[in-house]
Amino acid sequence: MSYMLSHLTSAWQVDQAIVREQERLVVIRFGHDWDRECMKMDELLYKAAHDVKDFAVIYLVDIDQVPDFNAMYELYDRVNVMFFYRNKHMMIDLGTGNNNKINWAMNDKQELIDVFETIYRGARKGRGLVISPKDYSTKYRY
């Protein structure tokens, strides 16, 4: 499904996408288009895109094609979904210890939409860090 979502192919395009959007949340999936985990996340992002179009815009970036942000945002995982609002990086406490991004492929469309809504509402209130509606820590998984 990655071909159905907008791709950013240069660092300038990524910067412009983050800087120019003033009303909606900017969601960027950094990863590889050929990676299985990214394909899974791209499909979920595509399914959610229509439902969140009023308050979020979704872009894809291949980190091989645009390596400029790899060190800055620590894009070492297979899937990296980051959030920006009014040129500000939005952080989310998912219970995993990494508050900068989602670094795994999620499974449920509604969970993803809930995360987007939570970040958007917190961003509109001026918060830089929001708490996830669900705790994704492995502490209670057996």
Side-chain angles (χ1 to χ4, degrees):
M1 288 298 154
S2 70
Y3 58 87
M4 298 297 285
L5 296 169
S6 298
H7 277 73
L8 303 175
T9 57
S10 69
W12 184 82
Q13 286 181 337
V14 174
D15 283 337
Q16 291 302 306
I18 294 169
V19 170
R20 289 187 181 218
E21 187 60 59
Q22 293 296 312
E23 297 302 318
R24 296 184 291 175
L25 182 69
V26 177
V27 180
I28 301 178
R29 190 276 294 151
F30 292 96
H32 303 284
D33 292 338
W34 49 263
D35 188 89
R36 207 174 274 277
E37 288 290 308
C38 284
M39 287 181 199
K40 185 176 171 185
M41 190 64 173
D42 291 350
E43 185 174 347
L44 200 61
L45 289 168
Y46 173 70
K47 288 178 182 177
H50 181 72
D51 295 333
V52 301
K53 71 177 185 284
D54 293 335
F55 64 89
V57 59
I58 301 169
Y59 296 107
L60 307 179
V61 176
D62 191 317
I63 59 175
D64 285 337
Q65 189 176 8
V66 186
D68 304 51
F69 302 100
N70 294 357
M72 184 189 330
Y73 293 136
E74 300 175 358
L75 304 174
Y76 306 122
D77 299 304
R78 294 168 71 183
V79 177
N80 302 281
V81 180
M82 298 186 71
F83 308 94
F84 301 89
Y85 185 75
R86 293 188 179 164
N87 198 22
K88 182 179 176 189
H89 176 223
M90 294 300 302
M91 299 193 337
I92 181 165
D93 184 3
L94 299 157
T96 60
N98 185 355
N99 295 341
N100 294 319
K101 58 189 171 275
I102 296 174
N103 56 3
W104 70 91
M106 296 178 81
N107 297 317
D108 185 22
K109 173 184 148 186
Q110 190 56 48
E111 267 183 37
L112 186 65
I113 292 171
D114 292 345
V115 168
F116 288 1
E117 284 182 23
T118 302
I119 295 171
Y120 178 72
R121 287 184 183 150
R124 297 268 311 185
K125 293 177 183 176
R127 297 188 179 128
L129 173 68
V130 296
I131 308 298
S132 169
K134 179 181 176 187
D135 186 12
Y136 291 95
S137 69
T138 57
K139 184 176 174 182
Y140 299 109
R141 295 182 190 169
Y142 298 102

